[in-house]
Amino acid sequence: METRELTVVAGSFVTFQLLFSVVSPRLSYIITPGYGRLPLNKHTEWNSRLVSTVHALIVGLFCLYILWFDDVVNADPVWGDPSLVKLNVAITCGYLLYDLVLLATNWSTMGDSFFVCHHLAALYAYGYVLTRGVLPYFANFRLISELSTPFVNQRWFFESLKYPRSHRLVVINGVAMAVVFFLVRTAVMPSYWSSVFATFGTDAFYRLGLGAQVAWISSCIALDILNTIWMYKIARGCYKVITGRGGARKGKEVTEKEPEKDGKHVNNHTD
């Protein structure tokens, strides 16, 4: 890994940590008074999700730029010039490392085995991109999935602030979340795997070596299994909201307090 990528990974880790511990708490108090009324054990996940949204917007928009304008990568998806992709991947690796540390230090309230598997699989695959500069197109394509994250986090913000599930903003966000999640994580699977299969048997594929091939294919399978599980949960929740079967907290005020289950924070980090 070159010095530039190591610097970006480290800088990303530190930046997201500062956003979590310094910027988010102060900004959230300004944006909504409801933040101050939340239980202290929910502040951690709130700040985590705000940071997650910032990361998703930076990386997701950068991905679209590369997909639309980086002709070298698009022309040679396995060995094209990875400069811009490596920069974007380094930002994501810094974020993933920050998030793994956060999950480990707050496991009782935020711990989620699905997310740990997701992060480790992504780091495993992205390590080859950073160290060998291979598979830039496919790494970039994978990061487009981050565009669904802001909607997922916004749903959690609404829920934490006790917005009724029948509220217009909640319904709009829920539908948008399901649609965007489907488009960037599920609907793209056939196109993505078609591009993967097209490389099989080519010189570019054999030049990767067994290690990179296994890292690439195995991580993609694992990530798509997780995305399918999450898509099912989101679709089911969206259906319940639209049909009014989601047990909406009708009659409750937006700022009303609700007891924690068994005195513990209810983890929503899986979505």
Side-chain angles (χ1 to χ4, degrees):
M1 190 184 304
E2 297 179 2
T3 303
R4 186 190 74 155
E5 281 73 48
L6 281 172
T7 302
V8 173
V9 171
S12 172
F13 178 89
V14 172
T15 298
F16 287 123
Q17 180 59 53
L18 289 175
L19 283 174
F20 169 80
S21 58
V22 179
V23 177
S24 177
R26 297 179 181 180
L27 183 62
S28 297
Y29 276 115
I30 296 173
I31 293 175
T32 173
Y35 175 80
R37 291 192 286 267
L38 292 175
L40 290 179
N41 60 356
K42 274 198 171 184
H43 283 189
T44 298
E45 187 161 2
W46 178 291
N47 296 331
S48 168
R49 287 181 179 272
L50 191 146
V51 173
S52 171
T53 295
V54 172
H55 164 260
L57 291 174
I58 293 173
V59 171
L61 294 176
F62 199 2
C63 280
L64 292 179
Y65 173 83
I66 295 171
L67 185 65
W68 290 335
F69 299 109
D70 197 331
D71 296 332
V72 177
V73 167
N74 294 326
D76 186 355
V78 180
W79 293 97
D81 180 11
S83 298
L84 290 180
V85 175
K86 287 173 74 173
L87 179 61
N88 211 18
V89 167
I91 294 172
T92 293
C93 286
Y95 169 78
L96 293 175
L97 291 172
Y98 139 81
D99 205 38
L100 282 173
V101 171
L102 182 65
L103 290 173
T105 54
N106 297 274
W107 189 259
S108 61
T109 56
M110 294 177 60
D112 189 296
S113 57
F114 276 152
F115 255 66
V116 172
C117 290
H118 173 277
H119 287 9
L120 292 178
L123 285 170
Y124 177 50
Y126 291 151
Y128 278 93
V129 180
L130 292 179
T131 57
R132 293 183 55 190
V134 297
L135 304 166
Y137 173 84
F138 298 102
N140 184 69
F141 201 101
R142 276 291 170 187
L143 285 175
I144 294 174
S145 64
E146 289 298 325
L147 290 172
S148 66
T149 300
F151 299 98
V152 177
N153 289 336
Q154 187 59 50
R155 188 202 65 168
W156 188 89
F157 292 141
F158 282 142
E159 186 173 306
S160 295
L161 294 173
K162 302 298 183 292
Y163 275 70
R165 292 182 180 176
S166 57
H167 193 284
R168 180 171 60 88
L169 292 178
V170 177
V171 174
I172 291 174
N173 180 75
V175 173
M177 177 182 68
V179 171
V180 175
F181 195 99
F182 174 76
L183 290 175
V184 301
R185 291 180 183 255
T186 305
V188 296
M189 286 183 189
S191 175
Y192 179 83
W193 283 103
S194 176
S195 298
V196 171
F197 293 145
T199 69
F200 288 180
T202 64
D203 290 338
F205 180 79
Y206 287 124
R207 284 171 56 200
L208 288 173
L210 183 61
Q213 293 168 1
V214 172
W216 175 26
I217 303 302
S218 62
S219 63
C220 287
I221 292 174
L223 292 173
D224 279 342
I225 290 174
L226 292 174
N227 284 331
T228 300
I229 293 172
W230 288 330
M231 183 71 253
Y232 169 74
K233 291 182 178 182
I234 288 175
R236 185 177 63 179
C238 183
Y239 173 78
K240 289 181 178 179
V241 169
I242 292 175
T243 59
R245 300 178 184 179
R249 292 183 290 272
K250 296 179 180 179
K252 288 191 175 183
E253 297 294 331
V254 169
T255 57
E256 179 183 350
K257 290 187 177 181
E258 184 178 23
E260 303 284 332
K261 292 185 179 179
D262 301 323
K264 297 181 179 179
H265 169 65
V266 181
N267 181 27
N268 288 293
H269 212 59
T270 56
D271 301 328

